[in-house]
Amino acid sequence: MAVINFRKIIRCFLFLCALWIFSMPLFAQGVPENDARVWNVKIEGNQTFDDRVVKSVISNEAPSLLNKLKFWKRVGMHLSEMEIRRDVIRIERFYQRRGFNDVLVTYRIEEQNKEWRKMIFFEIVENSPIRISRVQNRIMASPKDSVLVANNDNFKSVMRKLPYRENRRFEPVTEQEAIGNLVDALKNLGYAYAASEINSTVDTTSKSAEVEIINYPGPRTRFDSVIVEGETTIAKRYIVRETGLQKGDLYSEADLRDAQREVFNHHLLRFAIISIPEQEIDTTLNVLVRVQETPLRAVELKFGVGNITRIEGWEDSYKLFRGQATWTHRNVRGKGERFSISGHASAIEQRLSSNYQFPYLFNTKSSIIFSPFLQHKLEPSYEITRGGMTNSFVYQYSQHLTGTISYEFTLNNESSQSSQVDLPDSILSYNVSSLNLNGYYANNLREGRRGSSIQPSWELSGLFGQATYSFQQAGVDARKFTQLTDNIVFAKRINFSGIYFARQDSLPADIRVYNGGTNSVRGWNRLELGPKRPIFEDGEFSRYVPTGGRATFSFNAEFRFQLHHVIRRLGLAAFLDGGQVWRKIDSITNNIQYGVGGGIRYQSPIGPIRIDVAYKLNPTDEDLRIYQGQDYGSAWNRWGLHFSIGQAF
């Protein structure tokens, strides 16, 4: 009876789907149009501002390179001289708001290699700008307040950064931003009713401007009452506590923003907004907090597919599916504490856990979480059942920086998956007692399109004498996202983890480090990069299984392309991954293995559905299932296929 290779069928099906998607445009039928199209846009004469800056303020734009390659149909904007003349006005206003009051802008249209392809030239004559001849600063307050404001370091820093300096170009467009920065600086000093204005006198004949900056601090204010509206099950005092605002504290705009963020992020509140109600101008200030609570109890069900690499035939099709169910109570004891029970099941892992969170320890930024759990995992080389408790202290210093200290104690029972597989150093019952320190810092991170993040970690096991094994491990994960164009993002990540100290010579399989898989080096399947050992069944070679090591490194470089203009919500990716696992940290060499590939992304309501195909550039004999010169593998051993929801990183 023939054996159906389910893995090959899936790969062939996905390849045919991709081929069909990319071939659709080749068969598109259209009627040629005779109207002219914008094929290119050029800016001439601009000395102060870059081409990209000027082009960002106009409507006409050239088609992208990808669209220009669509030779089977016309691309580009319909040429409209009315719209071009509007662009001339847009450029003139752009320059005038930046001090060039005599700017002149003209245009011309030239034909390209085809009659319908047109190039638009915008020619700019900037002329001399208006420059600042004098700047005067005034603080309209009592002598005491004037001295306090003038000597404040933050206020002085804001004043130094203002775009008003003698002999600098006078730019009216910066006025509102400058006023906003001045008012914020005054409000952070406690002047809740502060106001600022910037007056200017411009002489267009002499090309000069005089600027007067006037600040009105008003009375210095302190917080008084915090009024809460909209609560139903949680006491007002807990919402007031969550704001972090104390009666008698000096008013601060920054503190008010922090309070808004803290209350809005509370798990019991669906909606929260903090405002200053209408009241008499005085030295005390009331604050209003409006909230709307989420349901006290909720059930969440999740379902997905994956684990393609674990499927050998139709009888294993159940291994594709995974699910999770969670029940949550958000207001335990009426104090805004959260309790949840969660069950997760897949072919790789089954886990039952609960979670009790105290959202306020000693301030709004601190919380503590108790998490008992039971877990069963089936990895390529071993099976483990573990249970224990994790206690975590979380401190969110700011929206960009978070630190976590946790202590975990577990009982572990680890064994091989098959009675015919002899792994003596991985058949163990042992305890783990670890102190973990983790940090997370994000810099201008925006939805995986720009910004960067770094996440260091440090694990100290056996400090309190309760662990069977004593070891110390450190790691770091760093990511950076660069938006090259509106539709292209270059994403990069490096990851390192190493056990740099261990009291015992041999460590259990579940403690060692691994690499490879959907979210790491994608040429390899889950945890299969690095050292392996042969497994024999009935005296014959069966397969290789990963043994892990004490150090691992990996990197990812990925270009992400959005193709919404071709097919809505569709995206593509091209990537290069690399990494290695070493048996010991002092045996690290440059024997990095690489995988290259591409993938399809579809932006669904539950997140990007991702299919990646990767090719091993430099596999080992173990990767190809070659044992003592004899090939037990196939061409598919060079490939990795990954299906998941969410980006790789």
Side-chain angles (χ1 to χ4, degrees):
M1 179 177 178
V3 177
I4 299 175
N5 193 319
F6 192 66
R7 187 186 305 172
K8 289 184 178 180
I9 292 176
I10 292 176
R11 288 173 174 169
C12 290
F13 173 75
L14 294 174
F15 175 78
L16 292 174
C17 288
L19 184 63
W20 176 71
I21 290 173
F22 290 115
S23 64
M24 282 194 301
L26 297 177
F27 301 99
Q29 300 294 322
V31 180
E33 299 179 6
N34 295 319
D35 59 327
R37 302 296 181 95
V38 177
W39 194 251
N40 215 333
V41 177
K42 294 290 185 182
I43 310 294
E44 297 178 340
N46 52 314
Q47 299 177 358
T48 306
F49 303 103
D50 187 79
D51 285 7
R52 290 175 298 178
V53 176
V54 179
K55 288 181 179 180
S56 68
V57 303
I58 62 176
S59 173
N60 283 281
E61 62 179 349
S64 65
L65 178 61
L66 179 63
N67 281 333
K68 285 184 177 181
L69 294 176
K70 293 179 180 179
F71 53 86
W72 61 87
K73 67 176 182 178
R74 292 187 175 185
V75 294
M77 297 181 61
H78 294 272
L79 184 70
S80 167
E81 289 212 45
M82 180 65 72
E83 194 60 41
I84 295 174
R85 287 193 288 271
R86 290 194 183 103
D87 280 345
V88 167
I89 296 173
R90 293 183 181 112
I91 296 174
E92 288 177 344
R93 288 178 177 173
F94 173 81
Y95 269 87
Q96 289 164 359
R97 290 168 181 161
R98 286 154 182 82
F100 295 88
N101 65 313
D102 291 334
V103 64
L104 297 175
V105 182
T106 58
Y107 74 92
R108 68 181 188 275
I109 302 171
E110 294 185 2
E111 185 178 302
Q112 298 290 282
N113 56 346
K114 292 188 178 181
E115 182 180 356
W116 56 273
R117 293 181 179 177
K118 305 294 184 180
M119 177 179 286
I120 305 173
F121 291 87
F122 291 98
E123 185 171 350
I124 302 170
V125 180
E126 295 182 347
N127 291 317
S128 300
I130 297 172
R131 296 198 175 274
I132 299 173
S133 60
R134 182 188 177 197
V135 180
Q136 183 179 5
N137 299 311
R138 299 170 61 189
I139 300 175
M140 308 301 291
S142 67
K144 179 181 177 180
D145 285 337
S146 297
V147 171
L148 189 151
V149 171
N151 291 334
N152 179 261
D153 290 338
N154 183 54
F155 185 81
K156 288 192 290 187
S157 175
V158 171
M159 290 294 294
R160 284 195 299 269
K161 294 177 182 178
L162 292 180
Y164 302 108
R165 292 287 183 275
E166 290 186 6
N167 206 36
R168 285 190 60 171
R169 181 161 31 92
F170 174 67
E171 301 182 69
V173 71
T174 62
E175 180 178 317
Q176 292 305 314
E177 181 182 357
I179 290 175
N181 291 335
L182 289 168
V183 170
D184 280 348
L186 291 171
K187 287 185 174 182
N188 285 327
L189 276 172
Y191 299 98
Y193 302 100
S196 298
E197 65 180 45
I198 297 175
N199 301 319
S200 56
T201 303
V202 179
D203 187 342
T204 57
T205 303
S206 62
K207 297 282 188 175
S208 65
E210 294 185 359
V211 178
E212 182 182 37
I213 303 171
I214 308 175
N215 294 291
Y216 304 93
R220 205 169 192 206
T221 313
R222 295 183 181 273
F223 289 113
D224 190 9
S225 300
V226 178
I227 305 166
V228 179
E229 294 180 356
E231 83 290 349
T232 56
T233 65
I234 188 171
K236 292 182 179 181
R237 65 179 182 274
Y238 294 117
I239 298 177
V240 173
R241 183 186 69 175
E242 195 67 23
T243 66
L245 302 176
Q246 300 291 330
K247 185 174 182 178
D249 286 352
L250 272 173
Y251 173 86
S252 168
E253 192 79 1
D255 288 347
L256 208 61
R257 286 195 293 266
D258 287 344
Q260 170 74 67
R261 183 169 55 251
E262 294 293 338
V263 176
F264 186 82
N265 288 338
H266 195 283
H267 57 261
L268 182 56
L269 303 177
R270 174 182 298 173
F271 170 84
I273 186 168
I274 296 180
S275 61
I276 299 175
E278 189 173 333
Q279 55 196 292
E280 292 184 4
I281 297 178
D282 201 352
T283 56
T284 59
L285 182 75
N286 295 327
V287 175
L288 175 63
V289 183
R290 291 190 179 95
V291 300
Q292 182 180 357
E293 296 183 11
T294 55
L296 285 182
R297 300 171 183 83
V299 175
E300 183 180 48
L301 301 175
K302 295 182 179 179
F303 179 78
V305 294
N307 306 339
I308 293 177
T309 58
R310 300 295 179 97
I311 298 175
E312 299 295 336
W314 289 108
E315 67 277 5
D316 292 332
S317 58
Y318 72 92
K319 295 181 179 180
L320 274 173
F321 306 107
R322 63 182 65 180
Q324 179 176 317
T326 304
W327 177 84
T328 302
H329 180 19
R330 295 188 175 90
N331 193 19
V332 182
R333 303 194 305 156
K335 297 182 178 181
E337 299 165 0
R338 181 175 61 185
F339 175 71
S340 63
I341 300 176
S342 180
H344 169 87
S346 70
I348 294 175
E349 178 185 5
Q350 303 84 46
R351 182 183 177 97
L352 179 65
S353 62
S354 64
N355 182 301
Y356 197 103
Q357 179 184 9
F358 296 87
Y360 186 104
L361 191 59
F362 56 83
N363 62 18
T364 60
K365 301 179 184 295
S366 60
S367 61
I368 191 167
I369 304 171
F370 299 107
S371 305
F373 66 91
L374 291 172
Q375 182 185 39
H376 175 250
K377 287 197 302 182
L378 285 170
E379 298 294 359
S381 60
Y382 67 95
E383 178 178 1
I384 186 169
T385 302
R386 58 197 299 261
M389 168 80 80
T390 302
N391 306 316
S392 301
F393 168 72
V394 182
Y395 192 87
Q396 187 175 4
Y397 179 78
S398 68
Q399 58 181 332
H400 306 291
L401 179 61
T402 301
T404 303
I405 301 175
S406 60
Y407 173 74
E408 181 176 274
F409 181 81
T410 61
L411 302 174
N412 304 268
N413 188 3
E414 183 180 301
S415 63
S416 63
Q417 289 194 37
S418 171
S419 60
Q420 300 182 17
V421 177
D422 183 22
L423 298 176
D425 62 340
S426 295
I427 306 177
L428 300 165
S429 294
Y430 58 92
N431 303 335
V432 171
S433 173
S434 294
L435 181 68
N436 296 275
L437 293 89
N438 294 274
Y440 178 78
Y441 175 73
N443 179 29
N444 197 30
L445 195 62
R446 298 183 183 177
E447 300 179 349
R449 297 188 60 81
R450 63 179 63 179
S452 59
S453 68
I454 184 168
Q455 186 171 359
S457 61
W458 190 22
E459 181 177 0
L460 306 172
S461 180
L463 288 180
F464 307 109
Q466 300 297 318
T468 307
Y469 293 89
S470 179
F471 62 92
Q472 297 174 14
Q473 180 177 349
V476 64
D477 181 288
R479 310 177 184 194
K480 184 174 177 59
F481 305 91
T482 305
Q483 188 166 357
L484 303 179
T485 70
D486 290 342
N487 298 314
I488 302 176
V489 172
F490 182 33
K492 306 168 284 293
R493 176 177 68 174
I494 59 171
N495 183 282
F496 173 79
S497 180
I499 300 173
Y500 61 89
F501 168 81
R503 194 175 299 277
Q504 292 80 10
D505 292 333
S506 179
L507 293 174
D510 196 56
I511 291 179
R512 302 174 204 152
V513 297
Y514 298 84
N515 213 323
T518 301
N519 298 318
S520 55
V521 185
R522 281 164 282 187
W524 283 259
N525 292 325
R526 176 180 165 87
L527 310 185
E528 293 187 359
L529 178 67
K532 301 177 181 65
R533 71 170 70 187
I535 298 301
F536 302 89
E537 296 186 3
D538 298 327
E540 297 291 330
F541 172 80
S542 173
R543 64 189 185 278
Y544 286 103
V545 296
T547 59
R550 297 196 181 187
T552 182
F553 168 81
S554 64
F555 75 87
N556 308 89
E558 180 173 288
F559 287 95
R560 298 171 181 171
F561 307 89
Q562 288 185 351
L563 303 180
H564 300 330
H565 54 289
V566 180
I567 298 179
R568 189 168 177 262
R569 297 185 176 180
L570 182 69
L572 297 178
F575 57 82
L576 173 67
D577 298 339
Q580 189 55 273
V581 177
W582 295 276
R583 296 184 187 276
K584 295 183 178 181
I585 200 165
D586 56 3
S587 64
I588 293 176
T589 61
N590 62 351
N591 58 331
I592 301 296
Q593 292 182 264
Y594 302 93
V596 64
I600 300 174
R601 311 285 188 267
Y602 180 77
Q603 191 64 43
S604 73
I606 58 174
I609 297 175
R610 173 167 60 98
I611 302 175
D612 286 333
V613 179
Y615 180 79
K616 300 179 181 69
L617 294 179
N618 55 339
T620 62
D621 285 352
E622 289 83 357
D623 295 326
L624 301 178
R625 294 190 67 197
I626 298 175
Y627 178 71
Q628 294 185 345
Q630 186 171 352
D631 191 350
Y632 291 87
S634 68
W636 291 107
N637 291 118
R638 273 190 173 267
W639 295 87
L641 176 64
H642 306 278
F643 174 83
S644 67
I645 297 175
Q647 296 286 7
F649 59 95

